[in-house]
Amino acid sequence: METTTIIYSQALMLLAGAVVAAPLFKRLGLGTILAYLAAGILIGPVAQQITEGEEILHVSELGVVFLLFIIGLELKPSRLWQMRRDIFGLGTAQVVITGAVLSFLIAFSGLLEGAGSIVAGFGLALSSTAFAMQILEENNDTNTRYGQRAFSILLLQDLAIVPLLAIIPLMAAQAPEDTTTPLEDFAIAIAAVAALFAAGRYLLNPLFQVIARTGARDVMIAAALLVVMGAATMMQLAGLSMAMGAFLAGVLLAESSYRHELEADIEPFRGILQALFFMAVGLSLELQVVAENLLSIIIAVPVLMLVKSLVLYGLCRATGSRHNDAVRIGLLLPQGGEFGFVLFTAAAAAGVFSQATSSLLVAIVTLSMALTPVAAMLSRRLMHKQDELAEEIEEDFEGAGAGADVLMIGFSRFAQIASQILLAGGRDVTIIDHSAARVRQAATFGFRIYFGDGTRLDVLRAAGIEKAKIVAVCTQKKEVTDKIIDLVHAEYPNARIFARSYDRLHTLELRARGVDYELRETFESGLLFGRKTLEALGVNGDEAIGIMDDIRRRDEARLVLQEAEGITAGRDMLHSRPVRPEPLVKPKREVTQPDDALADLADETLEKAE
């Protein structure tokens, strides 16, 4: 009973610590990971309320297992194959180069020698999957280009723990008794992976189909937990990591129709266990070891993070990443990882180095984790202000001087659609755009497109504006559109200008500037959307078209009034409630037939009103 009370009180303290620390640190912009670490340090090493940090850490490592299962669910095998270069190329290079550099620095400093320096160096080369993925998720960067490359590196690091753990017995001072040969161990591992693939392909989907038919929600949750834990345990018994087993199970179920339900079932367990993991890291931190080796830690932590950041940045740049992405990756993954704890503990148990050394390495990893959110925030200061769309390439207007029917300035989604109409009508179109990435992409599809700034007169001349019959200004930003139109009017007053307007106010401003034609970027698509919705509600197609045409006429009539009287004019023409047919009422007196002149005047007035 007393033990149960202690467990309840410890659970209460951990939950209270998480609930208090997470919102506070989130408010300060430091992230929830650092909050959980701080709460663990305060509850354990500082207040001495919980002293079984390592036991809690073993249980909470399931949070990392569940995290990798969810990551696997997001990765279809086809997508994983597409990422193979980053995983096995960039990821392998990062582990090998970083591990070699850190091993050399450890041996050169005299902290460890031989096998100990190798295990420590390669253990520190691994980054924290949980930390990095949490930061990516919080910033909604998981599916960005740099997020995918960072994940590829993390995935290879998680796989690398398997051979690293395998070589520890070979480096041990006294090899442990082993009844199997390395070849047999390899065969067992391969058989376990094959069995897992076979189960995923032929057993898991039928199992979930049977359970789904029962409609028992709790059984479905139990089945999801069983799959994750079963796959993780199978890999562990085969000498591989639990995290790898969970990841493979997730990948096998990525194509399943039950993928989203599985993710929803596992997510609460993953969240609470991952929070517990970070708190357990804080609980297991030995402040005495930190105090005794404070100088070494103060030097080692920044050196570790600097070496990893520089290696990551260099490798990412060498393999095609832009500066901003390379900076983000370098400062996202400079910390030690949770698998380092596993590796250092195993090495100490095998006698590769002492338990005190293991505690020192764990402290270095923990503190590097604590500094990761700070490093991630630092990346924003080191990034270049211009993004990929502002990248400049050499301006080359060869072939544009001959002119075209239409000079199109700006080639975003609006212009891409409009260009299809012009090209289908057999008209030549010359396009200029200020985005190097968009120019390269459009050029691969065969468009006659040039890189250039449409607000510059020399660019417009080089693009053939003097021979163009119409200048189509399709830029996205209102101020850029206005600047181009003013420039064209000043230099080429007879040029016909068709412009894309941003909104209703911009439409009125463009008309005041004297453009030949303007169109709000969302007007026609909104009309078509409304018409199709009406038809889906049962309105006859011809009637829906008539209603759409009437709204178009009303909108034009409102614009005419607003040009003359201001933006608030014509409010009575707007529909703010459903329109009902008016009952027919017999007129009180007959209307005489007007003569022809009066009829023409009436028609003209009606047209203007519309």
Side-chain angles (χ1 to χ4, degrees), residues 254-289:
E255 304 278 3
S256 170
S257 56
Y258 301 97
R259 178 171 68 88
H260 296 294
E261 187 170 358
L262 286 170
E263 186 173 354
D265 291 339
I266 292 296
E267 182 61 33
F269 298 96
R270 193 276 303 175
I272 192 66
L273 285 171
Q274 194 171 316
L276 184 61
F277 170 80
F278 292 120
M279 295 184 75
V281 171
L283 290 171
S284 60
L285 182 65
E286 297 183 14
L287 294 182
Q288 184 179 356
V289 173

PDB file of all heavy atoms in Angstrom, residues 254-289:
ATOM      1  N   ALA A 254       1.661   1.991 -43.472  1.00  0.00           N
ATOM      2  CA  ALA A 254       1.477   3.312 -44.085  1.00  0.00           C
ATOM      3  C   ALA A 254       0.465   3.277 -45.222  1.00  0.00           C
ATOM      4  O   ALA A 254      -0.207   4.276 -45.495  1.00  0.00           O
ATOM      5  CB  ALA A 254       2.817   3.849 -44.587  1.00  0.00           C
ATOM      6  N   GLU A 255       0.350   2.148 -45.909  1.00  0.00           N
ATOM      7  CA  GLU A 255      -0.591   2.018 -47.016  1.00  0.00           C
ATOM      8  C   GLU A 255      -1.960   1.528 -46.555  1.00  0.00           C
ATOM      9  O   GLU A 255      -2.888   1.426 -47.345  1.00  0.00           O
ATOM     10  CB  GLU A 255      -0.032   1.040 -48.064  1.00  0.00           C
ATOM     11  CG  GLU A 255       1.339   1.384 -48.601  1.00  0.00           C
ATOM     12  CD  GLU A 255       1.271   2.421 -49.705  1.00  0.00           C
ATOM     13  OE1 GLU A 255       0.163   2.899 -49.988  1.00  0.00           O
ATOM     14  OE2 GLU A 255       2.331   2.762 -50.270  1.00  0.00           O
ATOM     15  N   SER A 256      -2.086   1.210 -45.261  1.00  0.00           N
ATOM     16  CA  SER A 256      -3.326   0.636 -44.751  1.00  0.00           C
ATOM     17  C   SER A 256      -4.433   1.682 -44.685  1.00  0.00           C
ATOM     18  O   SER A 256      -4.188   2.868 -44.442  1.00  0.00           O
ATOM     19  CB  SER A 256      -3.081   0.039 -43.358  1.00  0.00           C
ATOM     20  OG  SER A 256      -4.306  -0.319 -42.748  1.00  0.00           O
ATOM     21  N   SER A 257      -5.669   1.235 -44.870  1.00  0.00           N
ATOM     22  CA  SER A 257      -6.813   2.132 -44.746  1.00  0.00           C
ATOM     23  C   SER A 257      -7.082   2.506 -43.294  1.00  0.00           C
ATOM     24  O   SER A 257      -7.884   3.406 -43.013  1.00  0.00           O
ATOM     25  CB  SER A 257      -8.062   1.478 -45.347  1.00  0.00           C
ATOM     26  OG  SER A 257      -8.310   0.227 -44.727  1.00  0.00           O
ATOM     27  N   TYR A 258      -6.421   1.829 -42.377  1.00  0.00           N
ATOM     28  CA  TYR A 258      -6.591   2.120 -40.955  1.00  0.00           C
ATOM     29  C   TYR A 258      -5.476   3.023 -40.416  1.00  0.00           C
ATOM     30  O   TYR A 258      -5.355   3.209 -39.208  1.00  0.00           O
ATOM     31  CB  TYR A 258      -6.605   0.813 -40.148  1.00  0.00           C
ATOM     32  CG  TYR A 258      -7.710  -0.127 -40.559  1.00  0.00           C
ATOM     33  CD1 TYR A 258      -7.461  -1.167 -41.448  1.00  0.00           C
ATOM     34  CD2 TYR A 258      -9.009   0.044 -40.088  1.00  0.00           C
ATOM     35  CE1 TYR A 258      -8.478  -2.022 -41.847  1.00  0.00           C
ATOM     36  CE2 TYR A 258     -10.026  -0.804 -40.479  1.00  0.00           C
ATOM     37  CZ  TYR A 258      -9.757  -1.843 -41.357  1.00  0.00           C
ATOM     38  OH  TYR A 258     -10.771  -2.670 -41.759  1.00  0.00           O
ATOM     39  N   ARG A 259      -4.676   3.583 -41.314  1.00  0.00           N
ATOM     40  CA  ARG A 259      -3.513   4.370 -40.890  1.00  0.00           C
ATOM     41  C   ARG A 259      -3.901   5.541 -40.001  1.00  0.00           C
ATOM     42  O   ARG A 259      -3.308   5.753 -38.937  1.00  0.00           O
ATOM     43  CB  ARG A 259      -2.766   4.885 -42.130  1.00  0.00           C
ATOM     44  CG  ARG A 259      -1.560   5.758 -41.804  1.00  0.00           C
ATOM     45  CD  ARG A 259      -0.759   6.031 -43.060  1.00  0.00           C
ATOM     46  NE  ARG A 259      -1.482   6.891 -43.991  1.00  0.00           N
ATOM     47  CZ  ARG A 259      -1.432   8.227 -43.973  1.00  0.00           C
ATOM     48  NH1 ARG A 259      -0.713   8.846 -43.059  1.00  0.00           N
ATOM     49  NH2 ARG A 259      -2.089   8.934 -44.860  1.00  0.00           N
ATOM     50  N   HIS A 260      -4.895   6.311 -40.404  1.00  0.00           N
ATOM     51  CA  HIS A 260      -5.265   7.502 -39.639  1.00  0.00           C
ATOM     52  C   HIS A 260      -5.856   7.146 -38.275  1.00  0.00           C
ATOM     53  O   HIS A 260      -5.600   7.827 -37.278  1.00  0.00           O
ATOM     54  CB  HIS A 260      -6.256   8.351 -40.436  1.00  0.00           C
ATOM     55  CG  HIS A 260      -5.689   8.897 -41.706  1.00  0.00           C
ATOM     56  ND1 HIS A 260      -4.672   9.831 -41.725  1.00  0.00           N
ATOM     57  CD2 HIS A 260      -5.956   8.623 -43.014  1.00  0.00           C
ATOM     58  CE1 HIS A 260      -4.357  10.122 -42.971  1.00  0.00           C
ATOM     59  NE2 HIS A 260      -5.123   9.406 -43.774  1.00  0.00           N
ATOM     60  N   GLU A 261      -6.607   6.058 -38.237  1.00  0.00           N
ATOM     61  CA  GLU A 261      -7.178   5.631 -36.956  1.00  0.00           C
ATOM     62  C   GLU A 261      -6.078   5.153 -36.011  1.00  0.00           C
ATOM     63  O   GLU A 261      -6.096   5.449 -34.811  1.00  0.00           O
ATOM     64  CB  GLU A 261      -8.207   4.529 -37.186  1.00  0.00           C
ATOM     65  CG  GLU A 261      -8.961   4.149 -35.923  1.00  0.00           C
ATOM     66  CD  GLU A 261     -10.148   3.233 -36.198  1.00  0.00           C
ATOM     67  OE1 GLU A 261     -10.395   2.930 -37.377  1.00  0.00           O
ATOM     68  OE2 GLU A 261     -10.809   2.843 -35.234  1.00  0.00           O
ATOM     69  N   LEU A 262      -5.105   4.435 -36.547  1.00  0.00           N
ATOM     70  CA  LEU A 262      -3.980   3.972 -35.730  1.00  0.00           C
ATOM     71  C   LEU A 262      -3.201   5.156 -35.166  1.00  0.00           C
ATOM     72  O   LEU A 262      -2.818   5.170 -33.988  1.00  0.00           O
ATOM     73  CB  LEU A 262      -3.051   3.089 -36.569  1.00  0.00           C
ATOM     74  CG  LEU A 262      -3.549   1.687 -36.905  1.00  0.00           C
ATOM     75  CD1 LEU A 262      -2.642   1.045 -37.943  1.00  0.00           C
ATOM     76  CD2 LEU A 262      -3.598   0.835 -35.652  1.00  0.00           C
ATOM     77  N   GLU A 263      -2.974   6.144 -36.010  1.00  0.00           N
ATOM     78  CA  GLU A 263      -2.236   7.330 -35.565  1.00  0.00           C
ATOM     79  C   GLU A 263      -2.987   8.050 -34.449  1.00  0.00           C
ATOM     80  O   GLU A 263      -2.393   8.480 -33.458  1.00  0.00           O
ATOM     81  CB  GLU A 263      -2.017   8.273 -36.742  1.00  0.00           C
ATOM     82  CG  GLU A 263      -1.132   9.458 -36.420  1.00  0.00           C
ATOM     83  CD  GLU A 263      -0.797  10.276 -37.652  1.00  0.00           C
ATOM     84  OE1 GLU A 263      -1.162   9.854 -38.769  1.00  0.00           O
ATOM     85  OE2 GLU A 263      -0.173  11.342 -37.496  1.00  0.00           O
ATOM     86  N   ALA A 264      -4.309   8.161 -34.601  1.00  0.00           N
ATOM     87  CA  ALA A 264      -5.112   8.819 -33.567  1.00  0.00           C
ATOM     88  C   ALA A 264      -5.112   8.030 -32.265  1.00  0.00           C
ATOM     89  O   ALA A 264      -5.119   8.608 -31.171  1.00  0.00           O
ATOM     90  CB  ALA A 264      -6.546   9.000 -34.071  1.00  0.00           C
ATOM     91  N   ASP A 265      -5.078   6.686 -32.355  1.00  0.00           N
ATOM     92  CA  ASP A 265      -5.068   5.849 -31.155  1.00  0.00           C
ATOM     93  C   ASP A 265      -3.747   5.938 -30.403  1.00  0.00           C
ATOM     94  O   ASP A 265      -3.712   5.961 -29.168  1.00  0.00           O
ATOM     95  CB  ASP A 265      -5.344   4.388 -31.535  1.00  0.00           C
ATOM     96  CG  ASP A 265      -6.777   4.166 -32.001  1.00  0.00           C
ATOM     97  OD1 ASP A 265      -7.635   5.012 -31.664  1.00  0.00           O
ATOM     98  OD2 ASP A 265      -7.029   3.172 -32.688  1.00  0.00           O
ATOM     99  N   ILE A 266      -2.643   5.988 -31.137  1.00  0.00           N
ATOM    100  CA  ILE A 266      -1.314   5.959 -30.521  1.00  0.00           C
ATOM    101  C   ILE A 266      -0.894   7.339 -30.030  1.00  0.00           C
ATOM    102  O   ILE A 266      -0.148   7.459 -29.049  1.00  0.00           O
ATOM    103  CB  ILE A 266      -0.284   5.408 -31.536  1.00  0.00           C
ATOM    104  CG1 ILE A 266      -0.563   3.931 -31.815  1.00  0.00           C
ATOM    105  CG2 ILE A 266       1.134   5.584 -31.036  1.00  0.00           C
ATOM    106  CD1 ILE A 266      -0.400   3.025 -30.608  1.00  0.00           C
ATOM    107  N   GLU A 267      -1.368   8.399 -30.675  1.00  0.00           N
ATOM    108  CA  GLU A 267      -0.885   9.749 -30.402  1.00  0.00           C
ATOM    109  C   GLU A 267      -0.936  10.141 -28.920  1.00  0.00           C
ATOM    110  O   GLU A 267       0.035  10.694 -28.394  1.00  0.00           O
ATOM    111  CB  GLU A 267      -1.661  10.758 -31.255  1.00  0.00           C
ATOM    112  CG  GLU A 267      -1.210  12.203 -31.091  1.00  0.00           C
ATOM    113  CD  GLU A 267       0.241  12.418 -31.485  1.00  0.00           C
ATOM    114  OE1 GLU A 267       0.696  11.723 -32.406  1.00  0.00           O
ATOM    115  OE2 GLU A 267       0.902  13.257 -30.858  1.00  0.00           O
ATOM    116  N   PRO A 268      -2.046   9.888 -28.190  1.00  0.00           N
ATOM    117  CA  PRO A 268      -2.055  10.277 -26.762  1.00  0.00           C
ATOM    118  C   PRO A 268      -0.977   9.572 -25.949  1.00  0.00           C
ATOM    119  O   PRO A 268      -0.344  10.187 -25.085  1.00  0.00           O
ATOM    120  CB  PRO A 268      -3.459   9.866 -26.303  1.00  0.00           C
ATOM    121  CG  PRO A 268      -4.278   9.810 -27.549  1.00  0.00           C
ATOM    122  CD  PRO A 268      -3.344   9.358 -28.622  1.00  0.00           C
ATOM    123  N   PHE A 269      -0.769   8.278 -26.222  1.00  0.00           N
ATOM    124  CA  PHE A 269       0.268   7.540 -25.496  1.00  0.00           C
ATOM    125  C   PHE A 269       1.653   8.080 -25.858  1.00  0.00           C
ATOM    126  O   PHE A 269       2.522   8.227 -24.993  1.00  0.00           O
ATOM    127  CB  PHE A 269       0.181   6.040 -25.838  1.00  0.00           C
ATOM    128  CG  PHE A 269      -1.116   5.408 -25.432  1.00  0.00           C
ATOM    129  CD1 PHE A 269      -2.150   5.263 -26.345  1.00  0.00           C
ATOM    130  CD2 PHE A 269      -1.308   4.970 -24.138  1.00  0.00           C
ATOM    131  CE1 PHE A 269      -3.349   4.679 -25.970  1.00  0.00           C
ATOM    132  CE2 PHE A 269      -2.500   4.385 -23.749  1.00  0.00           C
ATOM    133  CZ  PHE A 269      -3.532   4.242 -24.674  1.00  0.00           C
ATOM    134  N   ARG A 270       1.849   8.361 -27.133  1.00  0.00           N
ATOM    135  CA  ARG A 270       3.135   8.902 -27.578  1.00  0.00           C
ATOM    136  C   ARG A 270       3.427  10.238 -26.900  1.00  0.00           C
ATOM    137  O   ARG A 270       4.527  10.470 -26.385  1.00  0.00           O
ATOM    138  CB  ARG A 270       3.107   9.072 -29.098  1.00  0.00           C
ATOM    139  CG  ARG A 270       4.471   9.319 -29.747  1.00  0.00           C
ATOM    140  CD  ARG A 270       4.915  10.760 -29.739  1.00  0.00           C
ATOM    141  NE  ARG A 270       3.955  11.640 -30.391  1.00  0.00           N
ATOM    142  CZ  ARG A 270       4.071  12.954 -30.429  1.00  0.00           C
ATOM    143  NH1 ARG A 270       5.096  13.556 -29.853  1.00  0.00           N
ATOM    144  NH2 ARG A 270       3.146  13.691 -31.008  1.00  0.00           N
ATOM    145  N   GLY A 271       2.423  11.112 -26.855  1.00  0.00           N
ATOM    146  CA  GLY A 271       2.631  12.430 -26.276  1.00  0.00           C
ATOM    147  C   GLY A 271       3.006  12.377 -24.811  1.00  0.00           C
ATOM    148  O   GLY A 271       3.972  13.013 -24.377  1.00  0.00           O
ATOM    149  N   ILE A 272       2.255  11.598 -24.016  1.00  0.00           N
ATOM    150  CA  ILE A 272       2.510  11.571 -22.570  1.00  0.00           C
ATOM    151  C   ILE A 272       3.817  10.855 -22.259  1.00  0.00           C
ATOM    152  O   ILE A 272       4.579  11.270 -21.368  1.00  0.00           O
ATOM    153  CB  ILE A 272       1.319  10.923 -21.819  1.00  0.00           C
ATOM    154  CG1 ILE A 272       1.440  11.168 -20.315  1.00  0.00           C
ATOM    155  CG2 ILE A 272       1.209   9.444 -22.126  1.00  0.00           C
ATOM    156  CD1 ILE A 272       1.307  12.613 -19.910  1.00  0.00           C
ATOM    157  N   LEU A 273       4.123   9.784 -22.999  1.00  0.00           N
ATOM    158  CA  LEU A 273       5.368   9.054 -22.742  1.00  0.00           C
ATOM    159  C   LEU A 273       6.583   9.839 -23.207  1.00  0.00           C
ATOM    160  O   LEU A 273       7.656   9.762 -22.591  1.00  0.00           O
ATOM    161  CB  LEU A 273       5.318   7.682 -23.422  1.00  0.00           C
ATOM    162  CG  LEU A 273       4.437   6.642 -22.725  1.00  0.00           C
ATOM    163  CD1 LEU A 273       4.287   5.403 -23.591  1.00  0.00           C
ATOM    164  CD2 LEU A 273       5.011   6.262 -21.364  1.00  0.00           C
ATOM    165  N   GLN A 274       6.442  10.589 -24.286  1.00  0.00           N
ATOM    166  CA  GLN A 274       7.565  11.399 -24.744  1.00  0.00           C
ATOM    167  C   GLN A 274       7.848  12.529 -23.753  1.00  0.00           C
ATOM    168  O   GLN A 274       9.003  12.852 -23.473  1.00  0.00           O
ATOM    169  CB  GLN A 274       7.256  11.971 -26.134  1.00  0.00           C
ATOM    170  CG  GLN A 274       8.474  12.539 -26.828  1.00  0.00           C
ATOM    171  CD  GLN A 274       8.175  12.882 -28.281  1.00  0.00           C
ATOM    172  OE1 GLN A 274       7.536  12.112 -28.988  1.00  0.00           O
ATOM    173  NE2 GLN A 274       8.627  14.030 -28.729  1.00  0.00           N
ATOM    174  N   ALA A 275       6.781  13.139 -23.220  1.00  0.00           N
ATOM    175  CA  ALA A 275       6.972  14.147 -22.179  1.00  0.00           C
ATOM    176  C   ALA A 275       7.644  13.527 -20.956  1.00  0.00           C
ATOM    177  O   ALA A 275       8.560  14.115 -20.358  1.00  0.00           O
ATOM    178  CB  ALA A 275       5.625  14.755 -21.795  1.00  0.00           C
ATOM    179  N   LEU A 276       7.208  12.319 -20.601  1.00  0.00           N
ATOM    180  CA  LEU A 276       7.821  11.622 -19.464  1.00  0.00           C
ATOM    181  C   LEU A 276       9.285  11.302 -19.732  1.00  0.00           C
ATOM    182  O   LEU A 276      10.121  11.357 -18.817  1.00  0.00           O
ATOM    183  CB  LEU A 276       7.038  10.331 -19.182  1.00  0.00           C
ATOM    184  CG  LEU A 276       7.478   9.516 -17.966  1.00  0.00           C
ATOM    185  CD1 LEU A 276       7.332  10.330 -16.688  1.00  0.00           C
ATOM    186  CD2 LEU A 276       6.678   8.215 -17.881  1.00  0.00           C
ATOM    187  N   PHE A 277       9.609  11.004 -20.988  1.00  0.00           N
ATOM    188  CA  PHE A 277      11.001  10.703 -21.337  1.00  0.00           C
ATOM    189  C   PHE A 277      11.907  11.902 -21.051  1.00  0.00           C
ATOM    190  O   PHE A 277      12.961  11.772 -20.429  1.00  0.00           O
ATOM    191  CB  PHE A 277      11.092  10.308 -22.811  1.00  0.00           C
ATOM    192  CG  PHE A 277      12.499  10.214 -23.330  1.00  0.00           C
ATOM    193  CD1 PHE A 277      13.274   9.098 -23.077  1.00  0.00           C
ATOM    194  CD2 PHE A 277      13.066  11.251 -24.061  1.00  0.00           C
ATOM    195  CE1 PHE A 277      14.571   9.013 -23.545  1.00  0.00           C
ATOM    196  CE2 PHE A 277      14.357  11.173 -24.526  1.00  0.00           C
ATOM    197  CZ  PHE A 277      15.119  10.045 -24.268  1.00  0.00           C
ATOM    198  N   PHE A 278      11.491  13.068 -21.491  1.00  0.00           N
ATOM    199  CA  PHE A 278      12.325  14.251 -21.277  1.00  0.00           C
ATOM    200  C   PHE A 278      12.411  14.619 -19.799  1.00  0.00           C
ATOM    201  O   PHE A 278      13.448  15.063 -19.316  1.00  0.00           O
ATOM    202  CB  PHE A 278      11.780  15.425 -22.093  1.00  0.00           C
ATOM    203  CG  PHE A 278      11.918  15.238 -23.573  1.00  0.00           C
ATOM    204  CD1 PHE A 278      10.811  15.232 -24.394  1.00  0.00           C
ATOM    205  CD2 PHE A 278      13.166  15.047 -24.147  1.00  0.00           C
ATOM    206  CE1 PHE A 278      10.934  15.043 -25.754  1.00  0.00           C
ATOM    207  CE2 PHE A 278      13.300  14.859 -25.509  1.00  0.00           C
ATOM    208  CZ  PHE A 278      12.184  14.858 -26.314  1.00  0.00           C
ATOM    209  N   MET A 279      11.325  14.404 -19.069  1.00  0.00           N
ATOM    210  CA  MET A 279      11.374  14.655 -17.634  1.00  0.00           C
ATOM    211  C   MET A 279      12.304  13.648 -16.959  1.00  0.00           C
ATOM    212  O   MET A 279      13.043  13.990 -16.025  1.00  0.00           O
ATOM    213  CB  MET A 279       9.967  14.581 -17.034  1.00  0.00           C
ATOM    214  CG  MET A 279       9.030  15.660 -17.546  1.00  0.00           C
ATOM    215  SD  MET A 279       7.404  15.654 -16.751  1.00  0.00           S
ATOM    216  CE  MET A 279       7.824  16.349 -15.170  1.00  0.00           C
ATOM    217  N   ALA A 280      12.288  12.398 -17.430  1.00  0.00           N
ATOM    218  CA  ALA A 280      13.166  11.370 -16.859  1.00  0.00           C
ATOM    219  C   ALA A 280      14.632  11.683 -17.138  1.00  0.00           C
ATOM    220  O   ALA A 280      15.509  11.387 -16.309  1.00  0.00           O
ATOM    221  CB  ALA A 280      12.801   9.998 -17.421  1.00  0.00           C
ATOM    222  N   VAL A 281      14.922  12.277 -18.300  1.00  0.00           N
ATOM    223  CA  VAL A 281      16.297  12.703 -18.591  1.00  0.00           C
ATOM    224  C   VAL A 281      16.738  13.731 -17.554  1.00  0.00           C
ATOM    225  O   VAL A 281      17.856  13.677 -17.035  1.00  0.00           O
ATOM    226  CB  VAL A 281      16.389  13.289 -20.016  1.00  0.00           C
ATOM    227  CG1 VAL A 281      17.757  13.934 -20.233  1.00  0.00           C
ATOM    228  CG2 VAL A 281      16.171  12.198 -21.047  1.00  0.00           C
ATOM    229  N   GLY A 282      15.857  14.664 -17.244  1.00  0.00           N
ATOM    230  CA  GLY A 282      16.170  15.648 -16.207  1.00  0.00           C
ATOM    231  C   GLY A 282      16.310  15.014 -14.842  1.00  0.00           C
ATOM    232  O   GLY A 282      17.195  15.381 -14.051  1.00  0.00           O
ATOM    233  N   LEU A 283      15.445  14.034 -14.535  1.00  0.00           N
ATOM    234  CA  LEU A 283      15.518  13.347 -13.243  1.00  0.00           C
ATOM    235  C   LEU A 283      16.828  12.589 -13.065  1.00  0.00           C
ATOM    236  O   LEU A 283      17.377  12.520 -11.965  1.00  0.00           O
ATOM    237  CB  LEU A 283      14.348  12.354 -13.119  1.00  0.00           C
ATOM    238  CG  LEU A 283      12.935  12.924 -12.959  1.00  0.00           C
ATOM    239  CD1 LEU A 283      11.899  11.815 -13.069  1.00  0.00           C
ATOM    240  CD2 LEU A 283      12.797  13.630 -11.610  1.00  0.00           C
ATOM    241  N   SER A 284      17.338  12.004 -14.155  1.00  0.00           N
ATOM    242  CA  SER A 284      18.537  11.158 -14.066  1.00  0.00           C
ATOM    243  C   SER A 284      19.837  11.944 -14.149  1.00  0.00           C
ATOM    244  O   SER A 284      20.922  11.360 -14.062  1.00  0.00           O
ATOM    245  CB  SER A 284      18.500  10.107 -15.180  1.00  0.00           C
ATOM    246  OG  SER A 284      18.477  10.731 -16.450  1.00  0.00           O
ATOM    247  N   LEU A 285      19.753  13.254 -14.318  1.00  0.00           N
ATOM    248  CA  LEU A 285      20.963  14.060 -14.387  1.00  0.00           C
ATOM    249  C   LEU A 285      21.658  14.088 -13.019  1.00  0.00           C
ATOM    250  O   LEU A 285      21.031  14.408 -12.002  1.00  0.00           O
ATOM    251  CB  LEU A 285      20.616  15.489 -14.818  1.00  0.00           C
ATOM    252  CG  LEU A 285      21.800  16.447 -14.988  1.00  0.00           C
ATOM    253  CD1 LEU A 285      22.691  15.997 -16.139  1.00  0.00           C
ATOM    254  CD2 LEU A 285      21.307  17.868 -15.238  1.00  0.00           C
ATOM    255  N   GLU A 286      22.933  13.723 -12.964  1.00  0.00           N
ATOM    256  CA  GLU A 286      23.708  13.705 -11.721  1.00  0.00           C
ATOM    257  C   GLU A 286      24.402  15.049 -11.548  1.00  0.00           C
ATOM    258  O   GLU A 286      25.420  15.323 -12.189  1.00  0.00           O
ATOM    259  CB  GLU A 286      24.723  12.564 -11.735  1.00  0.00           C
ATOM    260  CG  GLU A 286      24.077  11.182 -11.813  1.00  0.00           C
ATOM    261  CD  GLU A 286      25.106  10.064 -11.763  1.00  0.00           C
ATOM    262  OE1 GLU A 286      26.275  10.351 -11.401  1.00  0.00           O
ATOM    263  OE2 GLU A 286      24.755   8.921 -12.079  1.00  0.00           O
ATOM    264  N   LEU A 287      23.843  15.859 -10.684  1.00  0.00           N
ATOM    265  CA  LEU A 287      24.406  17.196 -10.473  1.00  0.00           C
ATOM    266  C   LEU A 287      25.814  17.143  -9.891  1.00  0.00           C
ATOM    267  O   LEU A 287      26.632  18.034 -10.131  1.00  0.00           O
ATOM    268  CB  LEU A 287      23.488  18.006  -9.555  1.00  0.00           C
ATOM    269  CG  LEU A 287      22.101  18.351 -10.128  1.00  0.00           C
ATOM    270  CD1 LEU A 287      21.322  19.201  -9.134  1.00  0.00           C
ATOM    271  CD2 LEU A 287      22.230  19.082 -11.455  1.00  0.00           C
ATOM    272  N   GLN A 288      26.104  16.084  -9.110  1.00  0.00           N
ATOM    273  CA  GLN A 288      27.440  15.956  -8.534  1.00  0.00           C
ATOM    274  C   GLN A 288      28.489  15.765  -9.620  1.00  0.00           C
ATOM    275  O   GLN A 288      29.568  16.366  -9.583  1.00  0.00           O
ATOM    276  CB  GLN A 288      27.476  14.792  -7.538  1.00  0.00           C
ATOM    277  CG  GLN A 288      28.822  14.649  -6.813  1.00  0.00           C
ATOM    278  CD  GLN A 288      28.810  13.501  -5.828  1.00  0.00           C
ATOM    279  OE1 GLN A 288      27.781  12.851  -5.631  1.00  0.00           O
ATOM    280  NE2 GLN A 288      29.957  13.244  -5.205  1.00  0.00           N
ATOM    281  N   VAL A 289      28.165  14.925 -10.596  1.00  0.00           N
ATOM    282  CA  VAL A 289      29.088  14.703 -11.715  1.00  0.00           C
ATOM    283  C   VAL A 289      29.265  15.998 -12.503  1.00  0.00           C
ATOM    284  O   VAL A 289      30.379  16.341 -12.917  1.00  0.00           O
ATOM    285  CB  VAL A 289      28.567  13.573 -12.628  1.00  0.00           C
ATOM    286  CG1 VAL A 289      29.419  13.444 -13.876  1.00  0.00           C
ATOM    287  CG2 VAL A 289      28.514  12.261 -11.880  1.00  0.00           C
TER     288      VAL A 289
END
